[in-house]
Amino acid sequence: MDASTTTIVEMLVALAKDLNMSVVAEGIETEEQLRALLASGVEEGQGYLVAPPLPAAKFNELLESRRVAQSGAATSGTTALVA
């Protein structure tokens, strides 16, 4: 992300937090995009980096496998990537 894009994302994240809302970044395709979004305070995201578009049944399987994987771990302060 360039400097102006980073500033906009950081402002949107701050506004969302002030309004007790979460921010979900969509269309994350590269590790570079992911790093920039994490540095800007984005906590959730989806895109081809995580998984390509899936039929509903496969999507539900993916979510369930992630729930099981996270069930024993503390999730506060972590970033959630969803398909």
Coordinates of all heavy atoms in Angstrom, one line a residue:
M1 N 0.9 -1.2 0.0 CA 0.0 0.0 0.0 C 0.9 1.2 0.0 O 1.9 1.3 0.7 CB -0.9 0.0 1.2 CG -2.0 -1.0 1.3 SD -3.2 -0.8 2.6 CE -2.3 -0.8 4.1
D2 N 0.5 2.3 -0.7 CA 1.2 3.5 -0.7 C 0.8 4.3 0.6 O -0.1 3.9 1.3 CB 1.0 4.3 -2.0 CG -0.4 4.7 -2.2 OD1 -1.2 4.9 -1.2 OD2 -0.8 4.9 -3.4
A3 N 1.5 5.4 0.8 CA 1.3 6.2 2.0 C -0.1 6.7 2.2 O -0.7 6.7 3.3 CB 2.3 7.4 2.1
S4 N -0.7 7.2 1.1 CA -2.1 7.7 1.2 C -3.1 6.6 1.5 O -4.1 6.8 2.3 CB -2.5 8.5 -0.1 OG -2.5 7.6 -1.2
T5 N -2.9 5.4 0.9 CA -3.8 4.3 1.1 C -3.7 3.8 2.6 O -4.7 3.6 3.3 CB -3.5 3.1 0.2 OG1 -3.6 3.6 -1.2 CG2 -4.4 1.9 0.4
T6 N -2.4 3.8 3.1 CA -2.2 3.4 4.5 C -2.9 4.4 5.4 O -3.5 3.9 6.4 CB -0.7 3.4 4.8 OG1 -0.1 2.4 3.9 CG2 -0.4 3.0 6.2
T7 N -2.8 5.6 5.1 CA -3.4 6.6 6.0 C -5.0 6.4 6.0 O -5.6 6.5 7.1 CB -3.1 8.1 5.5 OG1 -1.7 8.2 5.6 CG2 -3.8 9.1 6.4
I8 N -5.5 6.2 4.9 CA -7.0 6.0 4.8 C -7.4 4.7 5.6 O -8.4 4.8 6.3 CB -7.4 5.9 3.3 CG1 -7.3 7.3 2.6 CG2 -8.9 5.4 3.2 CD1 -7.4 7.2 1.1
V9 N -6.7 3.6 5.4 CA -7.0 2.4 6.1 C -6.8 2.6 7.6 O -7.7 2.2 8.4 CB -6.1 1.2 5.6 CG1 -6.2 0.0 6.5 CG2 -6.4 0.9 4.2
E10 N -5.8 3.3 8.1 CA -5.6 3.5 9.5 C -6.7 4.4 10.0 O -7.2 4.1 11.2 CB -4.2 4.2 9.7 CG -3.1 3.2 9.5 CD -1.7 3.9 9.6 OE1 -1.7 5.1 9.5 OE2 -0.7 3.2 9.7
M11 N -7.2 5.4 9.3 CA -8.3 6.2 9.7 C -9.6 5.4 9.8 O -10.4 5.6 10.8 CB -8.4 7.4 8.8 CG -7.3 8.4 9.0 SD -7.3 9.8 7.8 CE -9.0 10.2 7.5
L12 N -9.8 4.6 8.8 CA -11.1 3.8 8.9 C -11.0 2.8 10.0 O -12.1 2.6 10.7 CB -11.2 3.0 7.5 CG -11.6 3.9 6.3 CD1 -11.5 3.1 5.1 CD2 -13.0 4.5 6.6
V13 N -9.9 2.2 10.3 CA -9.8 1.3 11.4 C -10.0 2.0 12.7 O -10.8 1.6 13.6 CB -8.4 0.6 11.5 CG1 -8.1 -0.1 12.8 CG2 -8.2 -0.4 10.3
A14 N -9.4 3.2 12.9 CA -9.6 4.0 14.1 C -11.1 4.4 14.3 O -11.7 4.3 15.4 CB -8.8 5.3 14.1
L15 N -11.7 4.8 13.2 CA -13.2 5.2 13.2 C -14.0 4.0 13.6 O -14.9 4.1 14.5 CB -13.6 5.7 11.9 CG -15.1 6.1 11.7 CD1 -15.5 7.2 12.7 CD2 -15.4 6.5 10.3
A16 N -13.7 2.8 13.0 CA -14.5 1.6 13.4 C -14.3 1.3 14.8 O -15.3 0.9 15.5 CB -14.0 0.4 12.5
K17 N -13.1 1.4 15.4 CA -12.9 1.1 16.8 C -13.7 2.0 17.7 O -14.2 1.7 18.7 CB -11.4 1.0 17.1 CG -10.7 -0.2 16.5 CD -9.3 -0.3 16.9 CE -8.7 -1.6 16.3 NZ -7.4 -1.8 16.7
D18 N -13.6 3.3 17.3 CA -14.4 4.3 18.1 C -15.9 4.0 18.1 O -16.6 4.4 19.0 CB -14.2 5.7 17.5 CG -12.8 6.3 17.8 OD1 -12.1 5.7 18.6 OD2 -12.4 7.3 17.1
L19 N -16.4 3.4 17.0 CA -17.8 3.1 16.9 C -18.1 1.6 17.3 O -19.2 1.1 17.1 CB -18.3 3.3 15.5 CG -18.2 4.7 15.0 CD1 -18.5 4.8 13.5 CD2 -19.2 5.6 15.8
N20 N -17.1 1.0 17.9 CA -17.2 -0.4 18.4 C -17.6 -1.4 17.2 O -18.4 -2.2 17.4 CB -18.2 -0.5 19.5 CG -17.7 0.2 20.8 OD1 -16.6 0.1 21.1 ND2 -18.6 0.9 21.4
M21 N -17.0 -1.1 16.1 CA -17.2 -2.0 14.9 C -15.9 -2.7 14.6 O -14.8 -2.2 15.0 CB -17.6 -1.1 13.7 CG -18.9 -0.3 14.0 SD -19.3 0.8 12.6 CE -19.7 -0.3 11.3
S22 N -16.0 -3.8 13.9 CA -14.8 -4.5 13.4 C -14.6 -4.1 11.9 O -15.5 -3.7 11.2 CB -15.0 -6.0 13.6 OG -16.0 -6.5 12.8
V23 N -13.4 -4.3 11.5 CA -13.0 -4.1 10.1 C -12.6 -5.4 9.5 O -11.8 -6.1 10.0 CB -11.9 -3.1 10.0 CG1 -11.4 -2.9 8.5 CG2 -12.3 -1.7 10.6
V24 N -13.2 -5.7 8.3 CA -12.8 -6.9 7.6 C -12.3 -6.5 6.2 O -13.0 -5.9 5.4 CB -14.0 -7.9 7.4 CG1 -13.6 -9.1 6.6 CG2 -14.7 -8.3 8.7
A25 N -11.0 -6.7 6.0 CA -10.4 -6.4 4.7 C -10.8 -7.5 3.7 O -10.6 -8.7 4.0 CB -8.9 -6.3 4.9
E26 N -11.2 -7.1 2.6 CA -11.6 -8.1 1.5 C -10.6 -8.0 0.4 O -10.1 -7.0 0.1 CB -13.0 -7.8 1.0 CG -14.1 -7.9 2.1 CD -15.5 -7.9 1.6 OE1 -15.6 -8.0 0.4 OE2 -16.4 -7.7 2.4
G27 N -10.4 -9.2 -0.2 CA -9.6 -9.2 -1.4 C -8.1 -9.3 -1.2 O -7.3 -8.9 -2.0
I28 N -7.7 -9.8 0.0 CA -6.3 -9.9 0.3 C -5.7 -11.0 -0.6 O -6.1 -12.2 -0.5 CB -6.0 -10.3 1.8 CG1 -6.7 -9.2 2.7 CG2 -4.5 -10.4 2.1 CD1 -6.7 -9.6 4.2
E29 N -4.7 -10.7 -1.4 CA -4.1 -11.6 -2.3 C -2.7 -11.9 -2.1 O -2.2 -12.9 -2.6 CB -4.4 -11.1 -3.8 CG -5.8 -11.1 -4.1 CD -6.1 -10.7 -5.6 OE1 -5.1 -10.5 -6.3 OE2 -7.3 -10.5 -5.9
T30 N -2.0 -11.0 -1.4 CA -0.5 -11.2 -1.3 C -0.1 -11.0 0.2 O -0.8 -10.4 1.0 CB 0.3 -10.2 -2.1 OG1 0.1 -8.9 -1.5 CG2 -0.1 -10.2 -3.6
E31 N 1.1 -11.6 0.5 CA 1.6 -11.5 1.9 C 1.9 -10.0 2.2 O 1.7 -9.5 3.3 CB 2.9 -12.3 2.0 CG 2.7 -13.8 2.1 CD 2.0 -14.3 3.4 OE1 2.2 -13.6 4.4 OE2 1.4 -15.3 3.3
E32 N 2.3 -9.2 1.2 CA 2.6 -7.8 1.3 C 1.4 -7.0 1.7 O 1.4 -6.2 2.7 CB 3.2 -7.2 0.0 CG 3.5 -5.8 0.1 CD 4.0 -5.2 -1.2 OE1 4.2 -5.9 -2.2 OE2 4.2 -3.9 -1.2
Q33 N 0.3 -7.3 1.1 CA -1.0 -6.7 1.5 C -1.4 -7.1 2.9 O -1.8 -6.2 3.7 CB -2.1 -7.1 0.5 CG -2.0 -6.6 -0.9 CD -3.0 -7.2 -1.8 OE1 -3.5 -8.3 -1.6 NE2 -3.4 -6.5 -2.9
L34 N -1.2 -8.3 3.2 CA -1.6 -8.8 4.6 C -0.7 -8.1 5.6 O -1.2 -7.5 6.6 CB -1.4 -10.3 4.7 CG -1.6 -10.9 6.1 CD1 -3.0 -10.6 6.6 CD2 -1.3 -12.4 6.1
R35 N 0.6 -8.0 5.4 CA 1.5 -7.3 6.4 C 1.1 -5.8 6.5 O 1.0 -5.3 7.6 CB 2.9 -7.4 5.9 CG 3.5 -8.8 6.2 CD 5.0 -8.8 6.0 NE 5.4 -8.5 4.6 CZ 5.5 -9.3 3.6 NH1 5.2 -10.6 3.9 NH2 5.8 -9.0 2.4
A36 N 0.8 -5.2 5.4 CA 0.4 -3.7 5.5 C -0.9 -3.6 6.2 O -1.1 -2.6 7.0 CB 0.3 -3.2 4.0
L37 N -1.9 -4.4 6.0 CA -3.2 -4.3 6.7 C -3.0 -4.6 8.2 O -3.6 -3.9 9.0 CB -4.2 -5.3 6.0 CG -4.6 -4.9 4.6 CD1 -5.3 -6.1 3.9 CD2 -5.6 -3.7 4.7
L38 N -2.2 -5.6 8.5 CA -2.0 -5.9 9.9 C -1.3 -4.7 10.6 O -1.7 -4.3 11.7 CB -1.1 -7.1 10.1 CG -1.7 -8.5 9.7 CD1 -0.7 -9.6 9.7 CD2 -2.9 -8.8 10.6
A39 N -0.3 -4.1 9.9 CA 0.3 -2.9 10.5 C -0.6 -1.7 10.7 O -0.4 -0.9 11.5 CB 1.5 -2.5 9.6
S40 N -1.7 -1.7 9.9 CA -2.6 -0.6 9.9 C -3.7 -0.9 11.0 O -4.6 -0.1 11.2 CB -3.3 -0.4 8.6 OG -2.3 0.0 7.6
G41 N -3.7 -2.1 11.6 CA -4.7 -2.4 12.6 C -5.9 -3.2 12.2 O -6.8 -3.5 13.0
V42 N -5.9 -3.7 11.0 CA -7.0 -4.5 10.5 C -6.8 -5.9 11.2 O -5.7 -6.4 11.3 CB -6.9 -4.7 9.0 CG1 -7.9 -5.8 8.5 CG2 -7.2 -3.4 8.3
E43 N -7.9 -6.4 11.7 CA -7.9 -7.7 12.5 C -8.5 -8.9 11.8 O -8.3 -10.0 12.2 CB -8.5 -7.4 13.9 CG -7.8 -6.4 14.7 CD -8.4 -6.2 16.0 OE1 -9.6 -6.5 16.2 OE2 -7.8 -5.6 16.9
E44 N -9.3 -8.6 10.8 CA -9.9 -9.7 10.1 C -9.8 -9.5 8.6 O -9.8 -8.3 8.1 CB -11.4 -9.9 10.4 CG -11.6 -10.2 11.9 CD -13.1 -10.3 12.2 OE1 -13.9 -9.4 11.9 OE2 -13.4 -11.4 12.8
G45 N -9.7 -10.6 7.8 CA -9.7 -10.4 6.4 C -10.0 -11.7 5.6 O -10.1 -12.8 6.2
Q46 N -10.2 -11.5 4.3 CA -10.5 -12.6 3.5 C -9.9 -12.4 2.1 O -9.6 -11.2 1.8 CB -12.0 -12.9 3.4 CG -12.8 -11.8 2.7 CD -12.8 -11.9 1.2 OE1 -12.8 -13.0 0.7 NE2 -12.8 -10.8 0.5
G47 N -9.8 -13.4 1.3 CA -9.3 -13.2 0.0 C -8.5 -14.5 -0.5 O -8.4 -15.5 0.2
Y48 N -8.0 -14.4 -1.7 CA -7.3 -15.6 -2.3 C -6.1 -16.0 -1.5 O -5.7 -17.2 -1.6 CB -6.9 -15.3 -3.7 CG -8.0 -15.5 -4.7 CD1 -8.8 -14.5 -5.1 CD2 -8.1 -16.8 -5.3 CE1 -9.8 -14.7 -6.1 CE2 -9.1 -17.0 -6.2 CZ -10.0 -16.0 -6.6 OH -11.0 -16.2 -7.5
L49 N -5.5 -15.2 -0.7 CA -4.4 -15.6 0.1 C -4.8 -16.6 1.1 O -4.1 -17.5 1.5 CB -3.8 -14.4 0.9 CG -2.6 -14.6 1.8 CD1 -1.4 -15.1 0.9 CD2 -2.3 -13.4 2.6
V50 N -6.1 -16.6 1.6 CA -6.6 -17.5 2.5 C -7.2 -18.7 1.8 O -6.9 -19.9 2.1 CB -7.7 -16.8 3.4 CG1 -8.3 -17.9 4.4 CG2 -7.2 -15.6 4.1
A51 N -8.1 -18.5 0.9 CA -8.7 -19.5 0.1 C -9.5 -18.9 -1.1 O -10.0 -17.8 -1.0 CB -9.8 -20.3 1.0
P52 N -9.5 -19.6 -2.2 CA -10.3 -19.2 -3.3 C -11.8 -19.2 -3.0 O -12.2 -19.8 -2.0 CB -10.0 -20.1 -4.4 CG -9.6 -21.4 -3.7 CD -9.0 -21.0 -2.4
P53 N -12.7 -18.7 -3.8 CA -14.1 -18.8 -3.6 C -14.5 -20.3 -3.5 O -14.0 -21.1 -4.2 CB -14.8 -18.2 -4.8 CG -13.7 -17.2 -5.3 CD -12.4 -17.9 -5.0
L54 N -15.3 -20.6 -2.5 CA -15.7 -22.0 -2.2 C -17.2 -22.2 -2.3 O -17.9 -21.3 -1.9 CB -15.2 -22.4 -0.8 CG -13.7 -22.3 -0.6 CD1 -13.4 -22.5 0.9 CD2 -13.0 -23.4 -1.4
P55 N -17.6 -23.4 -2.7 CA -19.1 -23.7 -2.5 C -19.4 -23.7 -1.0 O -18.5 -23.9 -0.1 CB -19.2 -25.1 -3.0 CG -17.9 -25.4 -3.8 CD -16.9 -24.5 -3.2
A56 N -20.7 -23.5 -0.7 CA -21.1 -23.3 0.7 C -20.6 -24.5 1.6 O -20.1 -24.2 2.7 CB -22.6 -23.1 0.8
A57 N -20.8 -25.7 1.1 CA -20.4 -26.8 2.0 C -18.9 -26.8 2.3 O -18.5 -27.1 3.4 CB -20.8 -28.1 1.3
K58 N -18.1 -26.5 1.3 CA -16.6 -26.4 1.5 C -16.2 -25.3 2.4 O -15.3 -25.4 3.3 CB -15.8 -26.3 0.2 CG -15.9 -27.5 -0.7 CD -15.0 -28.6 -0.1 CE -15.0 -29.8 -1.0 NZ -14.2 -30.9 -0.4
F59 N -16.9 -24.2 2.3 CA -16.7 -23.0 3.2 C -17.0 -23.4 4.6 O -16.3 -23.1 5.5 CB -17.6 -21.8 2.7 CG -17.4 -20.6 3.6 CD1 -16.3 -19.9 3.6 CD2 -18.5 -20.3 4.5 CE1 -16.2 -18.8 4.4 CE2 -18.3 -19.2 5.3 CZ -17.2 -18.4 5.3
N60 N -18.1 -24.1 4.8 CA -18.5 -24.5 6.2 C -17.5 -25.5 6.8 O -17.1 -25.4 7.9 CB -19.9 -25.1 6.2 CG -21.0 -24.1 6.0 OD1 -20.8 -23.0 6.4 ND2 -22.1 -24.5 5.4
E61 N -16.9 -26.3 5.9 CA -15.8 -27.2 6.4 C -14.6 -26.4 6.8 O -14.0 -26.7 7.8 CB -15.5 -28.2 5.3 CG -16.5 -29.3 5.0 CD -16.1 -30.2 3.8 OE1 -14.9 -30.2 3.5 OE2 -17.0 -30.8 3.2
L62 N -14.2 -25.4 6.0 CA -13.1 -24.6 6.3 C -13.3 -23.9 7.6 O -12.4 -23.9 8.5 CB -12.8 -23.6 5.2 CG -11.7 -22.6 5.4 CD1 -10.4 -23.3 5.5 CD2 -11.8 -21.5 4.4
L63 N -14.5 -23.3 7.8 CA -14.7 -22.6 9.1 C -14.7 -23.6 10.3 O -14.1 -23.2 11.3 CB -16.1 -21.9 9.0 CG -16.2 -20.7 8.2 CD1 -17.6 -20.1 8.3 CD2 -15.2 -19.6 8.6
E64 N -15.3 -24.7 10.1 CA -15.3 -25.7 11.2 C -13.8 -26.1 11.6 O -13.5 -26.2 12.7 CB -16.1 -26.9 10.9 CG -16.3 -27.9 12.0 CD -16.8 -27.3 13.3 OE1 -17.6 -26.3 13.2 OE2 -16.5 -27.7 14.4
S65 N -13.0 -26.4 10.6 CA -11.6 -26.8 10.8 C -10.9 -25.7 11.5 O -10.1 -25.9 12.4 CB -10.9 -27.2 9.5 OG -10.7 -26.1 8.7
R66 N -11.2 -24.4 11.2 CA -10.5 -23.3 11.9 C -11.0 -23.1 13.3 O -10.2 -22.8 14.2 CB -10.7 -22.0 11.1 CG -10.2 -22.1 9.7 CD -9.3 -21.0 9.4 NE -8.7 -21.4 8.1 CZ -8.3 -20.5 7.2 NH1 -8.4 -19.3 7.5 NH2 -7.7 -20.9 6.1
R67 N -12.3 -23.4 13.5 CA -12.8 -23.3 14.9 C -12.2 -24.4 15.8 O -11.8 -24.1 16.9 CB -14.4 -23.5 14.9 CG -15.1 -22.3 14.5 CD -16.6 -22.5 14.8 NE -17.3 -21.6 13.9 CZ -18.1 -21.9 12.9 NH1 -18.2 -23.1 12.5 NH2 -18.7 -20.9 12.2
V68 N -12.0 -25.6 15.3 CA -11.4 -26.7 16.0 C -10.0 -26.3 16.3 O -9.5 -26.5 17.5 CB -11.5 -28.0 15.2 CG1 -10.7 -29.1 15.9 CG2 -13.0 -28.4 15.1
A69 N -9.3 -25.8 15.3 CA -7.9 -25.4 15.5 C -7.7 -24.3 16.6 O -6.7 -24.3 17.3 CB -7.2 -25.0 14.2
Q70 N -8.6 -23.4 16.7 CA -8.5 -22.3 17.6 C -9.2 -22.6 19.0 O -9.1 -21.8 19.9 CB -9.2 -21.0 17.0 CG -8.4 -20.5 15.8 CD -9.1 -19.3 15.2 OE1 -10.2 -19.0 15.5 NE2 -8.4 -18.6 14.3
S71 N -9.9 -23.7 19.1 CA -10.7 -23.9 20.3 C -9.9 -23.9 21.6 O -10.3 -23.5 22.6 CB -11.5 -25.2 20.2 OG -10.6 -26.3 20.1
G72 N -8.6 -24.4 21.5 CA -7.8 -24.5 22.7 C -6.9 -23.3 22.9 O -6.3 -23.1 23.9
A73 N -6.8 -22.4 21.9 CA -5.9 -21.3 21.9 C -6.7 -20.0 22.3 O -7.8 -19.8 21.9 CB -5.2 -21.1 20.6
A74 N -6.0 -19.1 23.0 CA -6.6 -17.8 23.2 C -6.6 -17.0 21.9 O -5.6 -17.0 21.2 CB -5.7 -17.1 24.3
T75 N -7.7 -16.3 21.6 CA -7.8 -15.6 20.3 C -7.7 -14.1 20.5 O -7.7 -13.4 19.5 CB -9.1 -16.0 19.6 OG1 -10.2 -15.7 20.5 CG2 -9.1 -17.5 19.2
S76 N -7.7 -13.6 21.7 CA -7.6 -12.2 21.8 C -6.2 -11.7 21.3 O -5.2 -12.3 21.6 CB -7.8 -11.7 23.3 OG -6.8 -12.3 24.1
G77 N -6.3 -10.6 20.6 CA -5.1 -10.0 20.1 C -4.5 -10.7 18.8 O -3.5 -10.4 18.3
T78 N -5.3 -11.6 18.3 CA -4.8 -12.3 17.1 C -5.6 -11.9 15.9 O -6.7 -11.3 16.0 CB -5.0 -13.9 17.2 OG1 -6.3 -14.2 17.4 CG2 -4.2 -14.4 18.4
T79 N -5.1 -12.1 14.7 CA -5.8 -11.7 13.5 C -6.5 -13.0 12.9 O -5.9 -14.1 12.9 CB -4.8 -11.3 12.5 OG1 -4.1 -10.1 13.0 CG2 -5.4 -10.9 11.2
A80 N -7.7 -12.8 12.5 CA -8.5 -13.9 12.0 C -8.6 -13.7 10.5 O -9.0 -12.6 10.0 CB -9.9 -13.9 12.6
L81 N -8.2 -14.7 9.7 CA -8.4 -14.7 8.3 C -9.4 -15.7 8.0 O -9.4 -16.8 8.4 CB -7.1 -15.0 7.6 CG -5.9 -14.0 7.7 CD1 -4.7 -14.6 7.1 CD2 -6.3 -12.7 7.2
V82 N -10.4 -15.2 7.3 CA -11.5 -16.1 6.9 C -11.6 -16.1 5.3 O -11.2 -15.2 4.7 CB -12.9 -15.7 7.5 CG1 -12.8 -15.8 9.0 CG2 -13.3 -14.3 7.1
A83 N -12.2 -17.1 4.8 CA -12.2 -17.3 3.3 C -13.3 -16.3 2.7 O -14.2 -15.9 3.3 CB -12.6 -18.7 3.0

